Amino acid sequence: MKSLGAAGGLIGRPVERIEDAGLLTGRGRYIDDLPVRRDTAHLAILRSPHAHAEVRAISTAAALALPGVFAVLTGEDVARLTRSMTVGVKANVECWPIARDRVRYVGEPVALVVAENRYVAEDALDLIEVEYETLTAVVDPEKALAADAPVLHPSLGTNLINERSFGYGDPEAAFATAAHRISIRIAYPRNSCTPIETYGVIAEYDPAEDAYDVTANFQGPFSIHAVIARALNVPGNRMRLRTPPDSGGSFGIKQGVFPYVILAAVAARVAGRPVKWIEDRLEHLTASVSATNRVTTLEAAVTPEGQITALNWDQLEDCGAHLRAPEPATLYRMHGNMTGAYAIRNVAIRNRVVLTNKTPTGLNRGFGGPQIYFALERLVHKIADELRLDPLDVIRRNLVPGDAFPYRTATGGLLDSGDYQTAIDRACAEGGLETLRQRRAIARAEGRLYGIGFAAVVEPSVSNMGYITTVLSPDERKKAGPKNGAQSVATIAIDPLGSVTVKVASVPQGQGHRTVLAQVVAERLGLSMEAVRVNTELDTSRDAWSIASGNYASRFAAAVAGAASLAAGRIRERLAAIAATQLNITSENVDFRDGKVLDRNNPDNALSFARVAASSHWAPGTLPDGTDQTIHETVFWTPEQLEAPTATDGINSSLCHGFIFDICGVEIDRTTGQVRIDHYVTMHDCGRILHPGMVEGQVRGGFAQAVGAALYEEYAYGGDGSFLTGTLADYLIPTVMETPEPLVLHHETPSPFTPLGAKGVGEGNCMSTPVCIANAVADALGIEDVQLPLSPSRITGWRHGEERPPSKPLDAKPAATGASGERMLTGSGSAEVSATREAVWAMLLDPNTLKAIIPGAHEVRKVSDTHFRAEVTLGIGPVKGRYRADIRLSDMVEPEAVTLAGGTEGALGSGRGTGRVTLTETTNGTRIDYRYEAAIGGKVASVGGRLLDGAARVVIGQFFQALARHAGGAPSLANGLIQRLMAPFRRRG
Amino acid sequence: MKPASFDFLCPDTLEEALAALSQGGPEARVIAGGQSLVPMLNMRLARPALLVDIMRLEALRRIETSGDEISVGAGVRQAELETWTSLGRDLPLLAAVFPWIGHVQTRSRGTVCGSIAHADPSAELPLSLVTLGGWVSLRGHKQKRRVKADDFFIGMMATDLAEGEMIEAVHFPRARPGSGYAFREVGRRHGDFAIVACAAVADERGLRLGIAGVDDRPRVFSLPPLDDSQFDDAINDIAWSLNARDDFHASARYRRDLVRSLGRETLKEASRCRA
Amino acid sequence: MPRMNATRRHPVNFTLNGRAVSVEVENRMLLSDLLRHEIGLTGTHVGCEHGVCGACTVQIDGRPARACLTLAQQVRGSDVRTVEALSPNPAELSPLQAAFRRHHGLQCGFCTPGILMSLDTLLRETPDADRDEIREHLSGHLCRCTGYASIIEAALAAADELRKEEKTNA
Ligand SMILES: Cc1cc2nc3c(=O)[nH]c(=O)nc-3n(C[C@H](O)[C@H](O)[C@H](O)COP(=O)(O)OP(=O)(O)OC[C@H]3O[C@@H](n4cnc5c(N)ncnc54)[C@H](O)[C@@H]3O)c2cc1C
Ligand code: FES
Ligand code: FES
């Protein structure tokens, strides 16, 4: 096998990609480009504006009556035709793709509309009325554990859905005898690699055969196929799942399309026609899938020299509102290498999984790695700080030694190959660490903020399908039977003209699989790349696949390309046997070159490849005895190293373990707090490189996403669970201007466990770069407690001292809106009116007056003396929406004070607020004072956050302004703001 | 994410446009470049009953210089003003500002007046107009009026534009020799709306500082000379007076800090340019 | 021009990739949807429908513009050009496209058509565009796969090529 990749071969050469000509000319075939049946209808989804609420009633009649609408489905309609999705832990919960009696996160599907096109479908969404009874939401994973926290799933009785503790070696003893115990606490935020193409599904149902046929830009793992088929209540062979030829990126995210596969399939069944759904960006950001946020406390037992003798992990994983398959895999994916690049023999782990009112989590590039390494590599830097050592020395002291591979980690992982010391030495030398240190010294001497950070990371690839069962106790595992391995599969087919087709179940998302496979197979068969065609579309009813199929865990180069190479090898062997008889030589002397099959010792003695290859079609009788056909060869390959978890919870969670070492120099602007990455070096050992250009692309692409995670991106939630980053203007993906160019270095130690010696490479920087940048920022600022994303505002917040007060006290205090993004508005005001207190009081209780003073009210109904319902149109600028408002009066002290509590609900979102109104007698009448607190959620909060506070203030101001006017007075507000504002908002007749 | 339906009018004359706007009342809207309105239509945040496309009205597509004033018609796209040959000489502040407004691909469509009408509190063009002391020409079916920029902006996406009115043109005072201009902005990413943007003018009348991104409309202030002992107090008080708010992109404190630092830098630079 | 009723389709005429087209659309139809779903040119992609990602970028009257922020009715009489018109013929790539292929300027290719349309305008107007100008134009596009470096290299290489071409033609 070592001959592969040799000079002159195709493997390892940066050839142009087969994929590109089509993609560059607009001829890609992504899901939304595929032809569909003429009667295909379009699906739109009504989503919850609330993070937590009971669904009291859904009225769909008006939507259904709209011309062009074929079907409207609620959660109950879906439930009637499906079963709850499988949950990966033993727990008394159900997991539905659409809300039934309760919504648990903003964006959760509540109803489905099938209509002739997406425009009409969205028109119909507007006509569905849902009555919610809001519940308190919990978004913070630690708060979700509190005894009095609202419980998301009553059947579970708690939000803690799973807990397991593990011990490897003797951590207690190591900590008891440790010279130092050093710990760190990390809250890793939510983010996502958000591909530019969103989810898409085309679904069809055949009632005659009770079978579903779905095309989706799903990326695998195809273990999820089982989840889908079960949920749809059909055997696997009646759930045909196909993937389109092209996909606009996934990075793990498109695993999360599967609940929509179920929804679209059911919708097609009910509507009696094919249904197509293309997710829009709002839906994607709000509700597709997110990486987990995690609170980690990590403690190390350390010798005075900086040797780490034990680690104690306490991880609290937040999987959002439902534990969706394959979660809690994010927490267990790294289980075999919880010690990173270090030889640490004693490890204690407590893993807890908690549910909160946020979007359910799933696969995301780096999958579990960013969370682990942020804690581990920050801790290593902290150890260096506390022991006054150089962080690089602490890293070096603890590395797995170069002669120890394959190295069995404390938690059961088997590190296949590596030479971490040399890779680090080379990175420091070739990456210019000394220059960087000089730059830091100069910068600091000039009073500038400059820091250097490092990160050493082991990047696992080719997941063991059994690792997730580590979440079960050994007893539970015993009962369930062993789970392990990772079948990869490749097929080589030869047609009657002797040309070669390769089929794999790798579901590429832009990584150029077709090119690499053509390279590998062409080289094995002595053909030009053009002579080999590769098909990567997957069809579960026709192709060879397994639960491990798909594009995740960086398994392509290591496993899938390897399987293709094995399949090509088998075909080659047989072709050699066939050719040998015709060439009159022994098959050992048969060579494959330039489209010919020839005698190694006499190249003139040759046959055309096509002729030999086609003989199985045309003249099967001429095949030598014992030689099988060469029409079709399918190879399944699963590495023996991927064993099931041991009785003591040891798990080799991945087959390959690459190595990354990063160095980063940053400068922080003293005034703006902006981080500038001055220099970034990333050293990779990904085993044998099959295509340098593509490896480069994977590294740079992952790096850019990691820069986003480090500095810009966060799925932000308000304290009430409202989602705040619903547009790409708020979820900040780096542009070219924010993306520095790293120096990429390679140090190859081929994996002994994979057919081609390759390892995965796509995810490493998502694990190493966020913490490397954070380490550099911590070094620059001289602080320990840094949090992602490292926004300028946050950074200046860590640095700044007392603020200079204004020279004279301010009239109105600046509004105190909750710091952590909580969207609470507070405000106050007052007005002098000529009416008496009693008269004003009466107005507040009179629906007619309320109608006149509630901004945009069309109708006010009195439900009881203290309860009113209103229909209002509210807006600012072009933004306008109709809402239902509910107003209750309480704490009434007639005629002095009353509390108005209200909620509004409409297509654009919802608002809640309370205001205390006090009436004071004055010489000329009454002074009305008011003070309010309000929160806004739903769509407006997600997409218009930046513009929202002002809008709400205006509306609330209008109410009191109108009240004052009604009571015969003018508001005493600065610069007549409200008066001028009234003009565009005046109610229309 | 698809718009709700609306009637559409592509009038041949300004009169036709104005008649339609006045008839349509609050449910009628002008559409110019669409770079702010169409996202809102797509998200169904805006649901006008009628859109009036003003981009075919030749009369509105002019950049005119008369005396000390540059008038930019409602049909002038941002890219057209950005590449106007006299921009560097006559409107140096705008020359500095344009690269900060969205992207090449949005400036190619978005209009100057559309940005003014939209009145985003972080937007650079409203800031520039206010800082330079410009004017807005409003045109209704029956009346015509001219409003000082500082009076035109009322609040978050709220302006003095009355029902049935549209902006016909905006007027920027032409740069005078001996005046200095400067602009600085801090946003999260390139092309994002500003967290804080500061524009400064230094001329014989003194120093003026415009600030966007903090209060709910662009604000402009006159300041004492830079070396005055009261300068720091003055800019600090300005920072406090702007009702800065916290959101998840930036804290109120951060915004005030930026007003202090960017404000000082822009004023310094404007004074330097003047000298 | 009379007021066009919301509930019906109305004609719109424009030039698309050099050919006159005449279609009937609802007022609310976006140019991106018109191109993709009514006309069938699916090379123009949609990634956000609020103007940020740049995937839908086409050329309108020679300038790069967001198809998702343009109503179909707004291009009446205009000249619209999409990625499908970039290469001289189906079997050949333009110098810009070829440079993207050579320099691995794309992975999934979803952002690529929009980026090509922006760079095509830039290089046509400014054949000696430098790295900074290229970055400026690229900054209106999000690419999640490449980390941008290879896109810049491709654009610079294409600029080189075009300059050479221009010289030989001159
Ligand atoms: C991705 C992206 C980034 C952006 N970044 C920035 C930025 O950094 N800074 C910035 O300032 N802007 C930014 N913008 C907004 C852009 O500048 C808009 O073009 C501008 O705000 C509106 O101009 P328009 O011609 O497109 O107006 P439209 O979108 O057509 O209209 C906007 C509003 O103004 C009204 N209107 C328009 N013209 C008139 C008129 N003549 N009379 C009365 N009312 C009128 C409309 O009815 C509508 O309510 C960005 C936009 C996008 C899509
Ligand atoms: S789809 Fe138009 S910019 Fe994203
Ligand atoms: S190549 Fe995939 S988004 Fe750019």
Side-chain angles (χ1 to χ4, degrees):
Chain A
M1 215 129 314
K2 290 271 148 54
S3 68
L4 285 175
L10 283 165
I11 299 177
R13 272 210 267 153
V15 295
E16 294 190 348
R17 298 198 323 169
I18 293 172
E19 289 85 349
D20 290 352
L23 299 180
L24 284 161
T25 48
R27 282 196 291 265
R29 280 180 299 147
Y30 303 87
I31 183 119
D32 194 27
D33 306 340
L34 300 182
V36 291
R37 255 172 54 178
R38 291 179 70 116
D39 58 343
T40 300
H42 294 260
L43 176 66
I45 302 175
L46 185 72
R47 293 172 181 275
S48 169
H50 300 293
H52 204 186
E54 299 277 355
V55 178
R56 287 271 182 259
I58 305 182
S59 144
T60 58
L64 204 50
L66 190 74
V69 171
F70 302 121
V72 181
L73 289 79
T74 64
E76 289 312 310
D77 298 328
V78 173
R80 264 193 292 281
L81 296 169
T82 59
R83 287 193 283 183
S84 159
M85 300 186 287
T86 317
V87 176
V89 300
K90 297 265 170 288
N92 184 21
V93 277
E94 296 195 328
C95 182
W96 293 93
I98 181 170
R100 296 181 61 187
D101 51 1
R102 189 190 279 230
V103 290
R104 295 181 175 88
Y105 62 98
V106 170
E108 182 160 18
V110 172
L112 311 175
V113 168
V114 180
E116 63 186 21
N117 62 48
R118 178 69 181 240
Y119 290 77
V120 174
E122 291 191 18
D123 292 345
L125 291 187
D126 289 345
L127 299 174
I128 300 176
E129 284 191 18
V130 185
E131 218 178 283
Y132 295 102
E133 179 84 30
T134 54
L135 302 167
T136 311
V138 59
V139 292
D140 179 305
E142 290 180 300
K143 288 186 186 149
L145 293 178
D148 59 349
V151 172
L152 272 77
H153 297 269
S155 62
L156 198 58
T158 164
N159 296 319
L160 180 66
I161 188 166
N162 185 263
E163 172 165 0
R164 278 221 66 197
S165 293
F166 305 87
Y168 303 92
D170 192 352
E172 285 83 7
F175 274 104
T177 58
H180 303 276
R181 298 175 69 137
I182 299 173
S183 72
I184 197 161
R185 187 182 170 283
I186 298 293
Y188 200 88
R190 282 199 160 210
N191 50 40
S192 154
C193 288
T194 49
I196 304 299
E197 181 199 42
T198 56
Y199 292 167
V201 182
I202 303 162
E204 213 176 309
Y205 174 72
D206 178 352
E209 296 206 34
D210 187 26
Y212 294 96
D213 185 344
V214 180
T215 305
N217 53 10
F218 178 65
Q219 62 139 52
F222 278 73
S223 51
I224 297 291
H225 180 272
V227 177
I228 298 170
R230 264 198 215 141
L232 287 172
N233 241 330
V234 290
N237 59 7
R238 289 175 196 274
M239 171 56 227
R240 181 181 194 177
L241 182 57
R242 302 192 249 185
T243 61
D246 294 306
S247 168
S250 173
F251 322 112
I253 303 301
K254 281 177 182 158
Q255 172 264 334
V257 71
F258 80 91
Y260 298 103
V261 169
I262 299 168
L263 292 181
V266 173
R269 177 171 175 169
V270 172
R273 55 176 72 221
V275 160
K276 174 170 168 175
W277 174 69
I278 302 295
E279 183 191 47
D280 69 35
R281 182 56 61 183
L282 262 52
E283 298 182 281
H284 186 86
L285 291 170
T286 312
S288 60
V289 90
S290 156
T292 61
N293 55 303
R294 188 182 297 177
V295 180
T296 303
T297 306
L298 176 61
E299 188 179 28
V302 192
T303 68
E305 297 76 37
Q307 177 93 37
I308 303 170
T309 57
L311 287 177
N312 184 1
W313 289 93
D314 187 0
Q315 307 193 90
L316 179 61
E317 178 88 325
D318 180 350
C319 285
H322 300 280
L323 197 65
R324 251 187 218 159
E327 293 288 36
T330 313
L331 190 53
Y332 285 88
R333 191 260 179 126
M334 305 293 291
H335 202 84
N337 57 304
M338 295 296 286
T339 45
Y342 309 121
I344 304 169
R345 300 311 313 168
N346 305 299
V347 181
I349 301 172
R350 175 166 74 145
N351 278 346
R352 287 175 296 167
V353 182
V354 69
L355 302 179
T356 61
N357 292 108
K358 303 204 286 285
T359 301
T361 59
L363 264 63
N364 189 49
R365 194 178 199 168
F367 202 44
Q371 294 90 331
I372 295 285
Y373 287 114
F374 198 84
L376 186 57
E377 294 301 289
R378 282 292 303 130
L379 182 63
V380 166
H381 274 58
K382 187 168 175 186
I383 290 170
D385 279 353
E386 292 206 356
L387 304 184
R388 303 190 174 281
L389 300 169
D390 184 328
L392 201 49
D393 289 340
V394 179
I395 290 173
R396 283 201 170 107
R397 181 173 296 274
N398 286 290
L399 290 175
V400 174
D403 56 7
F405 295 95
Y407 173 86
R408 183 70 70 178
T409 67
T411 51
L414 187 61
L415 306 184
D416 46 338
S417 67
D419 180 359
Y420 302 169
Q421 279 79 0
T422 313
I424 289 181
D425 291 345
R426 281 191 49 209
C428 294
E430 294 165 41
L433 178 59
E434 263 328 295
T435 324
L436 218 54
R437 287 186 164 140
Q438 283 160 15
R439 246 187 266 180
R440 175 171 65 183
I442 294 169
R444 288 187 174 171
E446 291 171 357
R448 291 184 283 134
L449 300 170
Y450 197 102
I452 297 175
F454 306 97
V457 155
V458 165
E459 174 186 1
S461 53
V462 190
S463 286
N464 183 346
M465 296 312 280
Y467 78 76
I468 180 60
T469 58
T470 319
V471 72
L472 304 175
S473 69
D475 275 352
E476 288 169 336
R477 277 202 302 268
K478 219 186 239 159
K479 269 186 224 144
K483 302 243 174 3
N484 74 297
Q487 288 280 14
S488 54
V489 51
T491 298
I492 296 195
I494 293 177
D495 59 67
L497 293 178
S499 63
V500 176
T501 301
V502 185
K503 289 192 278 185
V504 294
S506 72
V507 199
Q509 315 282 324
Q511 299 97 329
H513 290 182
R514 292 176 57 211
T515 303
V516 174
L517 290 169
Q519 272 178 295
V520 168
V521 172
E523 175 166 317
R524 293 297 270 158
L525 300 179
L527 298 170
S528 70
M529 277 181 65
E530 295 71 46
V532 177
R533 282 207 86 194
V534 182
N535 186 330
T536 53
E537 290 156 60
L538 180 66
D539 177 341
T540 58
S541 76
R542 305 188 55 114
D543 295 328
W545 59 281
S546 87
I547 57 162
S549 294
N551 182 356
Y552 62 96
S554 308
R555 58 195 302 284
F556 172 74
V560 179
S565 175
L566 292 176
R570 283 197 202 162
I571 292 262
R572 179 183 158 122
E573 228 167 78
R574 275 182 241 149
L575 291 174
I578 298 167
T581 53
Q582 298 183 23
L583 296 170
N584 266 325
I585 54 174
T586 59
S587 50
E588 294 79 64
N589 282 326
V590 175
D591 201 4
F592 291 73
R593 239 186 286 150
D594 305 329
K596 292 206 175 71
V597 188
L598 46 87
D599 180 353
R600 200 185 297 278
N601 304 314
N602 174 16
D604 290 340
N605 185 18
L607 296 162
S608 91
F609 175 90
R611 192 187 163 92
V612 181
S615 51
S616 283
H617 281 283
W618 300 106
T622 65
L623 302 194
D625 284 350
T627 301
D628 199 2
Q629 53 76 27
T630 61
I631 293 175
H632 207 90
E633 179 62 32
T634 297
V635 165
F636 281 88
W637 179 76
T638 183
E640 62 194 16
Q641 292 82 5
L642 295 184
E643 295 163 315
T646 66
T648 50
D649 291 318
I651 176 69
N652 183 25
S653 36
S654 303
L655 178 65
C656 307
H657 296 86
F659 179 69
I660 298 165
F661 182 69
D662 287 1
I663 307 173
C664 169
V666 301
E667 179 163 2
I668 298 170
D669 187 309
R670 271 189 176 280
T671 43
T672 65
Q674 285 168 315
V675 177
R676 182 179 64 82
I677 297 174
D678 179 44
H679 188 59
Y680 200 100
V681 183
T682 183
M683 162 62 87
H684 282 252
D685 178 355
C686 61
R688 171 154 290 136
I689 291 174
L690 302 185
H691 187 297
M694 285 184 228
V695 165
E696 194 82 359
Q698 285 296 307
V699 170
R700 289 180 188 278
F703 173 74
Q705 290 178 333
V707 167
L711 301 178
Y712 301 101
E713 299 175 27
E714 180 175 7
Y715 276 170
Y717 286 85
D720 60 352
S722 56
F723 183 68
L724 306 178
T725 44
T727 72
L728 291 179
D730 288 309
Y731 188 78
L732 306 175
I733 295 174
T735 75
V736 65
M737 299 299 198
E738 287 75 41
T739 309
E741 292 189 15
L743 174 65
V744 183
L745 301 171
H746 293 285
H747 185 76
E748 290 184 47
T749 64
S751 172
F753 299 160
T754 65
L756 297 169
K759 307 181 182 188
V761 65
E763 299 181 87
N765 283 95
C766 288
M767 307 182 188
S768 61
T769 298
V771 64
C772 187
I773 294 175
N775 281 337
V777 167
D779 182 48
L781 299 174
I783 57 170
E784 283 303 336
D785 198 11
V786 295
Q787 206 190 330
L788 300 185
L790 296 155
S791 70
S793 175
R794 205 169 254 169
I795 284 177
T796 43
W798 295 326
R799 270 171 41 76
H800 65 209
E802 276 294 298
E803 185 173 8
R804 178 179 178 161
S807 65
K808 39 191 180 302
L810 299 170
D811 308 343
K813 264 200 139 59
T817 55
S820 62
E822 182 161 16
R823 196 151 281 292
M824 284 303 278
L825 293 172
T826 55
S828 59
S830 68
E832 298 271 350
V833 298
S834 54
T836 62
R837 282 205 299 184
E838 288 69 20
V840 177
W841 183 263
M843 287 174 189
L844 285 170
L845 303 185
D846 170 29
N848 285 326
T849 322
L850 284 174
K851 180 177 169 188
I853 63 180
I854 294 173
H858 307 280
E859 191 199 317
V860 175
R861 267 192 314 122
K862 185 168 177 170
V863 183
S864 75
D865 277 352
T866 57
H867 184 188
F868 300 90
R869 287 236 169 92
E871 285 278 327
V872 296
T873 297
L874 297 177
I876 178 150
V879 179
K880 215 171 273 171
R882 203 177 162 107
Y883 301 83
R884 274 169 296 144
D886 210 66
I887 300 153
R888 286 170 201 270
L889 309 181
S890 61
D891 298 333
M892 296 164 69
V893 188
E894 189 177 353
E896 284 165 26
V898 58
T899 297
L900 286 99
T904 61
E905 187 93 46
L908 296 190
S910 57
R912 281 179 298 112
T914 54
R916 182 74 176 162
V917 182
T918 47
L919 309 176
T920 318
E921 228 174 84
T922 62
T923 39
N924 301 328
T926 306
R927 195 179 73 241
I928 309 175
D929 287 295
Y930 63 91
R931 198 163 266 301
Y932 63 82
E933 213 182 57
I936 291 145
K939 184 155 151 190
V940 179
S942 305
V943 303
R946 210 170 48 83
L947 300 175
L948 202 71
D949 297 358
R953 251 171 250 284
V954 167
V955 170
I956 293 166
Q958 280 168 31
F959 173 77
F960 289 102
Q961 144 75 12
L963 174 63
R965 213 166 5 112
H966 218 75
S972 51
L973 274 177
N975 68 23
L977 171 78
I978 294 293
Q979 271 122 326
R980 284 194 286 169
L981 267 174
M982 285 310 291
F985 287 106
R986 204 149 283 148
R987 260 177 349 99
R988 295 174 307 282
Chain B
M1 251 181 101
K2 306 290 178 194
S5 46
F6 46 79
D7 288 359
F8 192 83
L9 180 71
C10 189
D12 299 316
T13 65
L14 187 57
E15 288 63 39
E16 200 186 330
L18 291 168
L21 284 174
S22 102
Q23 258 170 30
E27 301 299 330
R29 289 228 142 242
V30 168
I31 181 164
Q35 301 301 292
S36 293
L37 185 56
V38 180
M40 293 185 162
L41 294 175
N42 288 355
M43 296 180 201
R44 299 200 177 204
L45 293 174
R47 310 157 163 269
L50 168 68
L51 285 185
V52 179
D53 181 356
I54 58 167
M55 297 307 284
R56 314 270 142 180
L57 302 174
E58 279 310 314
L60 300 178
R61 305 210 55 161
R62 286 198 281 265
I63 304 171
E64 282 169 338
T65 308
S66 60
D68 285 343
E69 205 171 81
I70 317 290
S71 299
V72 181
V76 176
R77 301 198 195 266
Q78 292 163 10
E80 289 162 357
L81 185 57
E82 185 181 6
T83 52
W84 183 53
T85 45
S86 314
L87 190 75
R89 191 194 61 213
D90 288 350
L91 291 170
L93 180 64
L94 288 192
V97 155
F98 268 119
W100 292 87
I101 306 174
H103 306 281
V104 173
Q105 298 85 354
T106 61
R107 298 197 293 273
S108 63
R109 302 290 293 172
T111 62
V112 174
C113 291
S115 174
I116 304 293
H118 190 58
D120 186 300
S122 291
E124 293 84 359
L125 287 170
L127 169 69
S128 307
L129 192 67
V130 164
T131 308
L132 293 174
W135 296 78
V136 182
S137 280
L138 300 172
R139 183 84 182 259
H141 188 36
K142 301 237 165 66
Q143 79 290 7
K144 224 174 148 163
R145 58 192 180 114
R146 214 171 122 110
V147 185
K148 255 170 104 168
D150 198 25
D151 294 330
F152 180 73
F153 299 104
I154 293 172
M156 185 76 57
M157 286 165 59
T159 66
D160 192 36
L161 197 75
E163 229 173 84
E165 264 183 341
M166 63 176 274
I167 299 181
E168 189 175 20
V170 292
H171 314 280
F172 294 93
R174 185 176 180 173
R176 272 172 306 176
S179 308
Y181 303 89
F183 176 78
R184 288 278 163 88
E185 171 169 329
V186 169
R188 290 296 303 275
R189 287 175 310 183
H190 185 82
D192 279 345
F193 276 100
I195 291 176
V196 173
C198 288
V201 183
D203 58 20
E204 73 287 352
R205 288 171 298 177
L207 291 177
R208 251 170 317 136
L209 176 64
I211 301 160
V214 189
D215 210 341
D216 59 6
R217 65 199 162 98
R219 299 278 303 272
V220 62
F221 301 90
S222 296
L223 278 116
L226 275 167
D227 44 11
D228 193 309
S229 63
Q230 286 167 346
F231 177 83
D232 280 344
D233 268 341
I235 202 157
N236 184 46
D237 286 346
I238 288 173
W240 280 104
S241 74
L242 293 171
N243 305 311
R245 289 187 195 101
D246 289 321
D247 63 27
F248 66 90
H249 287 308
S251 67
R253 161 79 192 266
Y254 180 66
R255 290 191 158 91
R256 285 193 295 273
D257 281 346
L258 283 184
V259 169
R260 294 182 189 103
S261 54
L262 296 192
R264 169 179 280 279
E265 280 172 29
T266 39
L267 287 165
K268 243 197 222 161
E269 192 184 323
S271 305
R272 222 181 15 248
C273 295
R274 201 193 158 210
Chain C
M1 172 94 29
R3 175 164 169 159
M4 296 188 279
N5 191 290
T7 55
R8 276 205 304 276
R9 291 175 159 238
H10 303 276
V12 46
N13 302 310
F14 62 104
T15 309
L16 177 59
N17 296 335
R19 290 187 187 195
V21 290
S22 174
V23 285
E24 296 215 327
V25 298
E26 269 188 70
N27 295 336
R28 57 173 166 169
M29 170 76 65
L30 300 172
L31 178 60
S32 43
D33 285 336
L34 170 66
L35 292 172
R36 295 181 47 78
H37 301 308
E38 304 284 307
I39 296 176
L41 290 185
T42 54
T44 300
H45 296 155
V46 170
C48 71
E49 294 182 302
H50 51 270
V52 183
C53 78
C56 67
T57 304
V58 298
Q59 291 167 7
I60 303 178
D61 296 327
R63 310 223 49 89
R66 307 292 203 220
C68 75
L69 297 190
T70 308
L71 299 172
Q73 282 293 355
Q74 284 178 293
V75 298
R76 55 172 56 212
S78 290
D79 185 7
V80 177
R81 200 158 164 258
T82 67
V83 67
E84 283 88 351
L86 271 191
S87 61
N89 66 62
E92 204 181 314
L93 297 183
S94 74
L96 180 62
Q97 291 166 316
F100 264 68
R101 183 163 70 174
R102 248 187 350 269
H103 291 269
H104 300 294
L106 68 161
Q107 288 180 30
C108 77
F110 202 76
C111 66
T112 313
I115 290 178
L116 291 174
M117 296 318 284
S118 283
L119 291 178
D120 178 73
T121 351
L122 172 66
L123 297 183
R124 225 169 343 103
E125 286 176 4
T126 322
D128 53 352
D130 60 13
R131 186 175 281 266
D132 283 343
E133 281 163 285
I134 288 168
R135 279 160 54 88
E136 175 71 33
H137 279 245
L138 267 183
S139 73
H141 295 271
L142 298 177
C143 173
R144 228 15 183 171
C145 297
T146 63
Y148 303 106
S150 57
I151 299 180
I152 298 175
E153 293 316 315
L156 285 168
D160 256 353
E161 191 114 331
L162 291 168
R163 272 196 302 271
K164 268 186 232 145
E165 232 171 62
E166 214 160 80
K167 262 196 206 134
T168 38
N169 290 350

